[in-house]
Amino acid sequence: MNPSFPSEPGTPVVSTRRRRPSLIWLVPTVAAVIGLSMLMHAWLSSGPVITIDFMTAAGLEAGKTPVKYKDVTVGMVSAIDLSPDGSRVVATVQLDQSAASLDRVDSRFWVVRPRIGLGGVSGIDTLLSGAYIAVDKGNANASGKRFLGLETPPTVTHGSQGRSFVLRARDLGSIDIGSPVYFRRIQVGQVASYRLAEDGRQVDLQVFINAPYDRFVTSATRFWNASGVDVSLGADGLKLNTQSLATVMAGGIAFATLVHGGAEVRAVSGAVYDLAKDEKEAMASTDGPAQFFQLVFAHSLRGLVVGAPVEFFGQSIGEVASVRLDYAPGKQKFVTAVGINVYPSRLGSVLEKLPKSAGDTERRTAQFLAGMVAHGLRAQARSGNLLTGQLYISLDFLPRSPPANFDVDARPLVLPTVNGDLDQIQEQIASIVGKLDKLPLESIGQHVDASLKDLDEVLRQLHGQVLPEATQSLKQVRSALGAAQGLVDPQAPLQQNIGQTLEQVQRAARSIREFLDMLKRHPESLLRGLPKSSAPSVAAPTDDTHPSQISRTVP
């Protein structure tokens, strides 16, 4: 028997040790989770990416320049690049998810930075905080990715309450975007934009009137240019008128509504109005159709410009439409042709009193003017301002003017003219100068020179001979007057002697008068002597007798 051998050891049981992850990996895992969550949050919170083209990148910086809407940061400039042609700067903006609605195709973007202009100062707060891009959200439904940035802030933003109107002006003047619009000297709006009309004959301005003032714009509203200072010198003195200091610096527009008693219709947004040059022109009544007339002056009219008034009997009835140089082949001389527009409606109720005639308007006008010309109606260029030399056309009756022909069939009608007042003054001055030129001024001058020489000789003699003698005579006269004054002095001896002599003469005369009275009463006393009964009388004192002079009368 085979010894039994122990059985072969079995396969040892190998127990493997289970490895556990180290806790050290927990840190990067958590970090990765946090980072992933942040990425997810950033991806979920980010909005659309848009690009904005600006002229320059002044004030813009990638990663630092925010984008604000209503002063709330809604995005950030992520990159700034040049456009392919290098003419512009392209700013890439990452908007927030909450600002996704700002990418409307009509949204507007502009850079807010400090600005100083005639309309005021803006963006001062950006001196400390830095420039930022502002957004004006559009109203369109479609979204856009590329926008053209504004160089200046928009005057009117989307959502502003009010209405816009269009004003048609002859020229822009000093009006600019942002110029104020006044109603009764209260700013109620501003100029939003302007552009040249398609035909180039006028400028269209878009003004925005804020609510609730826009309700004052009606079909009877008139707009006028209120820029600068209106200075007028009239019979009531010097007048200076302006809407505000801002209109003097930055221009402005004002409007008012005509009061005519009729129904006023509230104007719709976008209504078109004419912009008058001043308030007087704006508030004037409607002129109606104009009639054109031709005037031919035989002399130059420096100072007469288009727009100068045409007056009839001192009333403005039209304006000068054209002033041009012309040539008259018949007279072989240059003349000045002036076209005027006359508005018959400005005559008012006078039109109803004028004689009526048959035919069309031009025919009736020609027949009427033919009679007026026969009565001396003439056109004359008169001076409206002696300082500036401006002229105006005056239609007036001049009975002493020479007869003139008037062709009723001519078109346009040509009114006869006469020289103006300044021309007449010049002619009178020329006539006076001509007469002075005919005077023998040389001979007169010689005579005057000879006379002056004689006069000089006379004066020399008078100064050398006559004056000394006259001085001596005056001294003698003065001495004689002094002596005479001594004689007539009440204290002088001569005066006292004369007084005593006169007193003695007076007493003698009184004695003689008493003696004669005694003889009249007693004539026999000459033969018989004085009767005894006749007592010697005492002379009664008279008013002019001094008491010391009373004495008895002795026959």
Side-chain angles (χ1 to χ4, degrees):
M1 173 174 187
N2 293 332
S4 60
F5 294 93
S7 60
E8 295 180 358
T11 302
V13 178
V14 179
S15 61
T16 59
R17 187 179 180 180
R18 187 175 184 180
R19 302 184 61 180
R20 297 179 180 179
S22 176
L23 293 176
I24 195 64
W25 292 103
L26 183 60
V27 176
T29 302
V30 173
V33 171
I34 293 175
L36 182 61
S37 62
M38 291 178 65
L39 289 176
M40 290 296 295
H41 180 269
W43 180 73
L44 294 175
S45 62
S46 63
V49 177
I50 60 175
T51 57
I52 308 171
D53 292 356
F54 293 103
M55 292 298 296
T56 64
L60 303 180
E61 188 174 358
K64 293 184 178 180
T65 303
V67 179
K68 294 184 178 181
Y69 176 66
K70 297 183 181 296
D71 286 338
V72 176
T73 301
V74 295
M76 185 68 69
V77 176
S78 58
I80 299 176
D81 302 301
L82 284 176
S83 61
D85 58 355
S87 60
R88 288 185 170 273
V89 173
V90 180
T92 303
V93 175
Q94 175 66 63
L95 295 176
D96 297 340
Q97 182 62 33
S98 60
S101 61
L102 296 179
D103 62 346
R104 305 294 96 180
V105 292
D106 56 345
S107 294
R108 295 177 293 183
F109 299 85
W110 68 97
V111 179
V112 178
R113 60 172 67 98
R115 301 176 189 273
I116 300 176
L118 296 177
V121 181
S122 62
I124 295 296
D125 55 334
T126 58
L127 289 174
L128 300 176
S129 61
Y132 63 89
I133 297 177
V135 187
D136 178 30
K137 181 183 177 182
N139 298 325
N141 295 324
S143 60
K145 294 297 182 182
R146 187 153 190 170
F147 299 87
L148 182 62
L150 303 178
E151 297 303 320
T152 57
T155 306
V156 182
T157 58
H158 292 94
S160 300
Q161 299 297 320
R163 286 180 294 169
S164 297
F165 304 97
V166 177
L167 307 181
R168 290 179 174 174
R170 300 186 184 95
D171 52 55
L172 185 60
S174 59
I175 299 174
D176 200 352
I177 296 177
S179 296
V181 178
Y182 291 91
F183 177 69
R184 299 189 183 279
R185 299 186 184 279
I186 299 176
Q187 183 174 351
V188 296
Q190 55 278 333
V191 177
S193 63
Y194 63 83
R195 65 180 180 87
L196 190 64
E198 295 295 336
D199 55 359
R201 296 182 178 180
Q202 58 190 11
V203 178
D204 294 339
L205 297 98
Q206 184 181 10
V207 297
F208 184 82
I209 309 299
N210 301 320
Y213 306 106
D214 57 336
R215 58 190 173 92
F216 298 116
V217 181
T218 65
S219 57
T221 297
R222 300 289 184 271
F223 290 84
W224 68 87
N225 191 339
S227 304
V229 180
D230 183 12
V231 181
S232 61
L233 181 61
D236 50 352
L238 180 65
K239 287 185 176 181
L240 189 147
N241 187 23
T242 182
Q243 290 290 327
S244 67
L245 183 60
T247 60
V248 178
M249 301 296 294
I253 295 173
F255 71 89
T257 301
L258 288 174
V259 179
H260 51 74
E264 298 179 3
V265 180
R266 188 175 179 180
V268 297
S269 181
V272 180
Y273 294 88
D274 292 330
L275 181 65
K277 65 178 181 180
D278 52 28
E279 182 179 4
K280 181 180 179 181
E281 179 181 322
M283 304 306 290
S285 58
T286 305
D287 292 327
Q291 294 188 3
F292 184 80
F293 298 96
Q294 188 76 36
L295 310 176
V296 178
F297 292 90
H299 53 85
S300 64
L301 295 177
R302 184 179 181 182
L304 184 67
V305 297
V306 175
V310 177
E311 296 186 355
F312 176 70
F313 261 64
Q315 301 293 327
S316 178
I317 61 171
E319 59 188 12
V320 175
S322 63
V323 180
R324 60 182 177 85
L325 183 66
D326 200 357
Y327 182 76
K331 299 180 181 179
Q332 295 185 352
K333 59 185 301 184
F334 290 95
V335 296
T336 303
V338 179
I340 61 174
N341 286 326
V342 175
Y343 302 95
S345 60
R346 294 188 181 182
L347 296 175
S349 60
V350 178
L351 288 175
E352 303 297 332
K353 301 178 181 179
L354 297 180
K356 310 297 182 186
S357 59
D360 56 3
T361 302
E362 291 187 349
R363 191 66 181 176
R364 293 197 303 268
T365 303
Q367 293 176 354
F368 173 74
L369 289 178
M372 296 296 102
V373 171
H375 285 82
L377 180 65
R378 300 289 186 275
Q380 191 178 35
R382 293 181 178 177
S383 175
N385 191 317
L386 293 177
L387 297 178
T388 60
Q390 293 180 343
L391 301 178
Y392 70 96
I393 299 299
S394 173
L395 301 178
D396 209 341
F397 290 95
L398 305 174
R400 296 182 180 180
S401 60
N405 296 324
F406 181 76
D407 187 3
V408 296
D409 297 325
R411 296 294 181 275
L413 294 173
V414 181
L415 295 176
T417 61
V418 294
N419 292 335
D421 46 0
L422 289 180
D423 299 325
Q424 294 177 356
I425 294 175
Q426 291 178 357
E427 291 179 356
Q428 294 174 358
I429 294 175
S431 177
I432 294 172
V433 172
K435 292 178 180 178
L436 291 176
D437 189 53
K438 294 179 182 178
L439 292 176
L441 298 179
E442 185 176 359
S443 176
I444 293 175
Q446 292 176 355
H447 284 83
V448 171
D449 185 62
S451 299
L452 290 176
K453 290 181 180 178
D454 295 340
L455 179 61
D456 183 65
E457 183 64 24
V458 170
L459 292 176
R460 188 180 297 108
Q461 294 179 359
L462 181 64
H463 181 71
Q465 299 178 3
V466 177
L467 287 180
E469 294 179 358
T471 304
Q472 185 65 25
S473 299
L474 290 175
K475 290 181 179 178
Q476 294 176 356
V477 170
R478 182 181 301 172
S479 177
L481 291 175
Q485 186 176 4
L487 292 176
V488 298
D489 190 357
Q491 302 299 330
L494 181 58
Q495 287 289 330
Q496 294 180 357
N497 294 335
I498 292 174
Q500 294 175 359
T501 303
L502 290 176
E503 290 178 356
Q504 293 175 0
V505 172
Q506 187 177 7
R507 285 197 298 269
R510 185 165 55 248
S511 299
I512 292 173
R513 185 171 63 249
E514 293 176 351
F515 176 71
L516 292 176
D517 291 341
M518 187 274 292
L519 287 179
K520 187 176 180 180
R521 292 191 303 270
H522 305 284
E524 69 277 4
S525 61
L526 292 175
L527 298 175
R528 297 177 182 175
L530 185 65
K532 297 181 178 178
S533 59
S534 177
S537 60
V538 179
T542 62
D543 297 337
D544 55 351
T545 303
H546 194 273
S548 62
Q549 296 176 352
I550 298 175
S551 63
R552 291 181 181 274
T553 301
V554 179

